[in-house]
Amino acid sequence: GWMAYATGYAPTKGGKLTFMEASWVVPENPTRGGAFFSPWFGIESADNLNLIQPVNPWTGYEWQAYNEYFQWSPTYNQNSKAMNVNAGDTLYG
């Protein structure tokens, strides 16, 4: 489930958000499986049709990090090349 949700708006009508950042430490490896755990943050267009986000999933045996673009309609998804990361690494997105 969601732990937090926030919205932001351009400072002027017709303005654009041009920069957003976050950092986090990759958590310890999970001791149990059964879920797709992925701490992330993202930015979505005003019409809620396009999402850009860095993703940090636990695959069941390792942590990965990659960027994802997702379009809701028509459905389209593209991920960058995944890289392995380790518990304790600091990621910047």
Side-chain angles (χ1 to χ4, degrees):
W2 293 91
M3 292 179 66
Y5 181 82
T7 59
Y9 299 95
T12 61
K13 186 173 181 170
K16 296 179 182 178
L17 296 176
T18 59
F19 185 78
M20 179 177 149
E21 71 178 348
S23 65
W24 63 94
V25 175
V26 177
E28 293 299 317
N29 296 352
T31 56
R32 296 184 348 180
F36 181 80
F37 177 72
S38 182
W40 63 271
F41 82 100
I43 189 167
E44 197 165 17
S45 60
D47 59 10
N48 295 322
L49 294 178
N50 297 281
L51 175 65
I52 300 172
Q53 61 187 5
V55 183
N56 177 211
W58 171 254
T59 66
Y61 57 92
E62 67 184 358
W63 287 106
Q64 292 186 338
Y66 57 87
N67 291 312
E68 176 184 32
Y69 167 74
F70 186 81
Q71 178 178 287
W72 297 97
S73 181
T75 302
Y76 176 77
N77 188 76
Q78 183 174 348
N79 297 333
S80 68
K81 183 179 177 182
M83 57 192 258
N84 294 336
V85 295
N86 298 303
D89 288 351
T90 299
L91 302 183
Y92 300 90

